[in-house]
Amino acid sequence: MKTYLITGGTDGIGKELALRCLAGGAQVVAVGRSAARGAEWLAVARAQGAADRAHFVAADLSLVAENRALIERFRGSFARLDALVLCARHFRTTRLVTAEGFENTFAHFYLSRHLLSHGLLDRLEAADDPVVLNVAGPGGTTEIAWDDLQLARGYDGQRALALGGRLNDLLGVGFADAWPRAGTRYVLFHPGTVNTGFSGEYTPEMLVLIDALRRSARAVEDAVAPIVEVLERPPAAPLSALVQGAPLSLDGPGFDVAEARRLRRATEGLLAAGG
């Protein structure tokens, strides 16, 4: 029986994926902020006859302390992890600094994924065919302001998400670079525009745009199908990038090893300083 940890597992792509994995016989740990949605997820699992394989952990992944607590909780309960699936994302129109001193989107969309990817490596390596699946939209070209990673100057919600995507590309590169002998594969996955819950806080103008996007967006069920394929048959390469299941070249400047190393150093420095 495989064990999957899915962040954002009670809504949108994460929820649909979690339910599919349960239906396939896996043990699933779904992570989300809402206890109510967690209870709904567990109720669906019970209705499927999978209550013994369904677990929910409430966590605010914008907080470093809660990511670290999640890592320790998982390590204390499970001997191995077949797949770490990173789906959690939340849009903010206005800039918010967490109680720990980090910009919220940076912390939630990038920093959490850094912590979980590296922090659960030992449990991943204990599995037979382990994979980290980072659903972040690889291939972006947003410029990185190395002296302003948390957008203290001129914050814009859409730019914050786009920057998070670029940082996650480098996270994947940096993971493969940091652990060259690891058996864990890292997959950066772009699901396309999907009709999900669009978790976030939006202006009225942005809500109009989202309504328009929903009309042309892919159904969640369709978007999850190629993700399931990756979990069942992870690519052989240490690092892969896929757009709706199709390979994306890693030769571009967005996947530069030197920049990935620079980002990891900067991230470790921020974590050491606490904000």
Side-chain angles (χ1 to χ4, degrees):
M1 182 171 61
K2 291 188 175 182
T3 300
Y4 298 145
L5 174 63
I6 303 176
T7 67
T10 60
D11 188 29
I13 291 174
K15 180 181 179 180
E16 177 66 19
L17 180 61
L19 293 175
R20 293 240 192 140
C21 292
L22 270 186
Q27 179 168 231
V28 178
V29 180
V31 181
R33 289 178 301 164
S34 169
R37 285 185 175 175
E40 292 173 2
W41 140 256
L42 292 173
V44 174
R46 284 194 298 272
Q48 291 184 353
D52 60 327
R53 294 184 284 107
H55 311 272
F56 170 70
V57 177
D60 180 351
L61 296 179
S62 70
L63 297 175
V64 171
E66 296 210 16
N67 281 276
R68 288 175 170 160
L70 171 60
I71 291 168
E72 291 310 308
R73 181 171 175 175
F74 186 90
R75 295 180 75 253
S77 301
F78 300 96
R80 75 172 194 276
L81 176 59
D82 294 273
L84 169 63
V85 186
L86 304 166
C87 290
R89 193 173 76 169
H90 186 80
F91 181 88
R92 286 200 59 86
T93 297
T94 57
R95 190 175 189 272
L96 174 70
V97 176
T98 70
E100 296 173 331
F102 296 104
E103 188 275 311
N104 189 272
T105 301
F106 173 84
H108 189 263
F109 190 28
Y110 164 68
L111 201 55
S112 167
R113 299 183 186 215
H114 170 92
L115 290 163
L116 296 175
S117 297
H118 291 282
L120 289 169
L121 179 62
D122 64 332
R123 292 301 186 262
L124 286 159
E125 288 294 285
D128 294 330
D129 202 23
V131 61
V132 177
L133 182 57
N134 188 335
V135 183
T141 58
T142 299
E143 182 179 354
I144 298 175
W146 289 101
D147 63 341
D148 190 24
L149 289 175
Q150 301 184 64
L151 301 183
R153 302 186 299 271
Y155 175 90
D156 175 84
Q158 289 177 290
R159 180 167 178 247
L161 277 187
L163 176 60
R166 282 280 286 112
L167 299 183
N168 275 292
D169 284 356
L170 295 178
L171 169 59
V173 175
F175 184 92
D177 178 64
W179 311 109
R181 294 192 174 94
T184 301
R185 274 67 55 80
Y186 208 103
V187 179
L188 299 160
F189 195 94
H190 194 323
T193 303
V194 183
N195 190 2
T196 67
F198 288 93
S199 173
E201 300 170 18
Y202 300 93
T203 63
E205 294 77 14
M206 280 293 294
L207 289 173
V208 171
L209 176 60
I210 288 171
D211 286 339
L213 286 174
R214 287 185 188 280
R215 289 192 285 272
S216 60
R218 303 173 71 203
V220 173
E221 296 80 6
D222 294 336
V224 165
I227 299 177
V228 172
E229 291 182 14
V230 172
L231 293 181
E232 293 177 346
R233 291 175 292 277
L239 175 67
S240 302
L242 304 173
V243 178
Q244 299 180 32
L248 177 69
S249 173
L250 300 177
D251 293 334
F255 302 97
D256 182 74
V257 174
E259 286 203 333
R261 291 172 179 169
R262 182 178 184 180
L263 177 61
R264 187 174 183 193
R265 290 193 299 270
T267 302
E268 291 172 347
L270 287 170
L271 289 169

